[in-house]
Amino acid sequence: MAISSDLPIALPSEDRYGLTPFAKALADSIADMEVPTGAVLAINGPWGAGKSSAINLIEHHLKPSVERGEMVLVSFNPWWFAGADTLILAFFRELGKAIGPSLPSKFRKSMTSLGRGISSLGTIAGAVADMKAPGIGAIISGAAGLIGKATASDKTVEEEHRLVSQALANQEKRFVVVIDDIDRLSPDDVLTIFRLIKSVGRLPNVVYLLAFDRQIAERIVAERFPSEGASYLEKIIQGSFELPPPRLDFLRWHCAEIAIKIMGEPDEAKKTRFWNVFYDVVSPTIHTPRDVARIGNHLSTTWGAVAGNVDRADFLAIAALQLSEPAIYTAIRQNPDLLCGIEHMGTHRQENRAEDYDALFGVNNRSERNRKRLRTGLTRLFPRLDAGWANTYHQGEGFDQERRIASEKHFRSYFAFSISEDVIPADQLDALIDRADEGAFVQDAFRAALGVRRATRETNVPLLLDELSAHAPEISDPKIPQLVATLFTIADDLNVRGDAKQGFGGFGNNHLRLHWLLNRLVHDRFPIEQREAIYRSAMAVGSLAWTLDFAHRCLGYFAPLDGGKDRGQPIVGEAVAEGFKNIALARLRDAASDGSLIRNQDMASLLFEWRRFADTDGAQEVRTWTDSALSQKEFLLALAEQMPSSSWSFGMGDRVQRQNVKVDTKAYEKLIDIPRLYARVDEELSASQLPPEDLEKLRNFKEIPRGAHGDRDISD
């Protein structure tokens, strides 16, 4: 949709706010009134109320009189001219162009001379600034000198004015001079226009139709002439008409139409909330046609950047608040921590929280009615506010999925007019959901996510897995088996170490996120028989570490818990879980045999799974393999990188957690010959035949405390 320049309407067919009856009535009055000495009419209304539209509609209804030759319309736009001299010259030039052709030839020169004679005196504003005599009813201070000034035709201005007046008095044709937006001029130019009309501009059969905000005009006069005020305008204007206010329901409905045209219709499931937000947040900000135009323009310039990645209702609401309630908009923008998410019962005393919210949004500075309306509207956007204002607690489900402003991860998009790096674009997510059963497409999507590094040093894989979990119900049942098989295939590649959260910032790695996704995709949707079929196919193509991880989880449901507690519904039956263990163990032994196990980023942890899955002989089987592998430099480097473990703790007076690194040799002593391991490290360091970066890795490993915590700053 094109940006509107706040242009007024021109035809009754464009009238959305009910101005046509008013305009037609005023046009009929102008056409019928007798004006032997001229007349001045005014349309009063605040900025943005539709004065220019009313003027255009009046001109439209006067066109029949113009076409019959009974009337001439003269539009004078004072905005094009600056300064009293320029305004005077332009005023009489435009008046002369319109009136001159209707005058007998002997009077045309008088019309031209009238304007030339007045402008030749210099700045009229300077002359009238000396008006000190009581009553501004006189044309101007020093009027005798002004009117008596000789013109180029050797007649005084007074004589020329009288000749033009006589000629116009005998005219059957009427002249309507339209001057709009007077209140937007500088104070001096406003006074110049009024003085021209009040003095020499008043001519028989000439009707002036002025449009301005009366309050602004009276304030300008009062500042210059305190004793006059409103009476000054009353001496100039014979008929003053207040612009009828547009029907608010028409305004608001038009705003909704424009918003939907730009942003598109909300989904059926979201329509109720869209209209609730519109009526409680957007509608109270709309009072004039200009309010509608501003919202439309704002959406036209901003929506395209975030379309599909934010909630329509919330984006429209925040746009309306930005334009009409800047203080509230700023309070929202600066306080996502207070507004996003949900409030848990008992977190804060309800009455204190209500006071905080009232102070944040300036609620107490409003009338009781407006307070209630403001609270209702803001609660639509941020349900968390209900905990303080109504002692009501909400669930936060759907905030992230619907990309609402109440979602902390999506909040920034509403103010940056761009998609946060912590958000997967909606079109990418929609494509992945739609093509979930296309293995190559899904793999390419995750490979692309692996290639992105955010400011947190994480890839986009955690975001993609989390988004798929949130939107899992949107993936159709027939697409699930192929999607699961694809995820099993690439699971190890997705488990990037840098994506693992631990200590400060949370916990969890991509394998854990994948388990959460499978819960939504499979466990929550299918009976156990279908789950087993889906997972059998996936295990056949699964990557090494993931098959061990998944088999371990499946078996865990059948391990006894203390106190006879139930672990819940198993993922698969026990026999199937045992079969998965055998598949994983066979794949692990193959990897150990062909050497690929050493190159696996999770090799150290896989040694423990190998011992566990091989039952009673597991430790010896692993030890036999590691004894052989210790002769390989590649194995030493892999252990040096993977054996150190971290824990996180707060020290006395710390504001952040500290990372504690150790090598827990006791945990590995049954699987690896620890003395020989360190001896081999010394051998390689002494030989110095490895690349410098590998030698540095071995030195660091050797220096890490064994079996006890060592401290290292989190910044390391």
Side-chain angles (χ1 to χ4, degrees), residues 1 3 262 294-305 315 417:
M1 182 174 179
I3 297 174
I262 295 171
R294 291 175 72 207
I295 289 177
N297 287 342
H298 185 87
L299 294 178
S300 294
T301 57
T302 58
W303 175 250
F315 192 79
F417 303 122

Side-chain angles (χ1 to χ4, degrees), residues 652-663:
M652 182 69 70
D654 286 343
R655 298 293 297 273
V656 297
Q657 297 184 77
R658 295 173 64 83
Q659 184 182 22
N660 308 304
V661 182
K662 70 172 183 179
V663 176

